Amino acid sequence: MGRKAATTCSSSSNISSTASLNLRLALSTHEECGESLFVKVYMEGIPIGRKLNILAHRSYHELVKRLENMFDTTILWGTEMDEVVVQPGERCHVLTYEDEEGDLVMVGDVPWEMFVSTVKRLKITRVDTFTTS
């Protein structure tokens, strides 16, 4: 339900999920052929999710910047979680995703290409949910 792929180039559809080089080639072919991979993005406190084309982004940095603009908040990901001190009243969130197995994973924990091949939906959660006091 959260993941839909539009197929327009049949020659790149048969890729091995274990070969990083093949995956990179396939992703670049998807971009050249105008293909898309839409996932739902849910933000804590907002009842309606939004759709986002993962293949329209080339890196975690691009993805996070887009989501920060979309939801008007600061989003932490990867190693930023270890370094941040959130001030009271500051709007700050953490970006996670649900993978093919239903596990919730921190964005940035795996290489971009693996993320693109396994993401089912994105979840933006308040940072205080993840901090331990």
Side-chain angles (χ1 to χ4, degrees):
M1 182 168 150
R3 185 178 185 175
K4 294 179 184 174
T7 56
T8 56
C9 294
S10 59
S11 63
S12 66
S13 297
N14 298 329
I15 61 173
S16 169
S17 62
T18 59
S20 180
L21 179 58
N22 288 344
L23 183 55
R24 282 191 201 119
L25 290 171
L27 291 177
S28 65
T29 304
H30 283 295
E31 291 171 358
E32 292 168 6
C33 296
E35 290 195 35
S36 56
L37 176 66
F38 286 94
V39 296
K40 280 288 204 167
V41 182
Y42 297 96
M43 182 168 173
E44 188 173 358
I46 298 178
I48 298 173
R50 299 185 188 181
K51 237 172 36 170
L52 180 78
N53 180 6
I54 291 293
L55 296 181
H57 305 87
R58 295 178 184 257
S59 67
Y60 285 122
H61 183 72
E62 281 185 23
L63 173 64
V64 168
K65 288 300 169 199
R66 174 72 180 265
L67 292 171
E68 285 178 334
N69 290 331
M70 186 182 291
F71 289 99
D72 191 30
T73 189
T74 301
I75 296 176
L76 304 175
W77 60 281
T79 58
E80 290 180 344
M81 281 298 297
D82 300 332
E83 304 164 2
V84 72
V85 176
V86 180
Q87 301 301 320
E90 184 179 1
R91 283 184 52 113
C92 199
H93 291 81
V94 177
L95 184 58
T96 59
Y97 72 96
E98 183 180 326
D99 66 10
E100 293 174 323
E101 298 170 356
D103 297 328
L104 201 58
V105 183
M106 291 291 291
V107 164
D109 280 358
V110 298
W112 174 255
E113 293 82 9
M114 183 182 283
F115 164 76
V116 170
S117 69
T118 60
V119 63
K120 284 177 57 179
R121 67 185 49 89
L122 293 167
K123 184 173 181 186
I124 303 170
T125 309
R126 287 190 332 261
V127 75
D128 58 1
T129 305
F130 286 87
T131 58
T132 55
S133 304

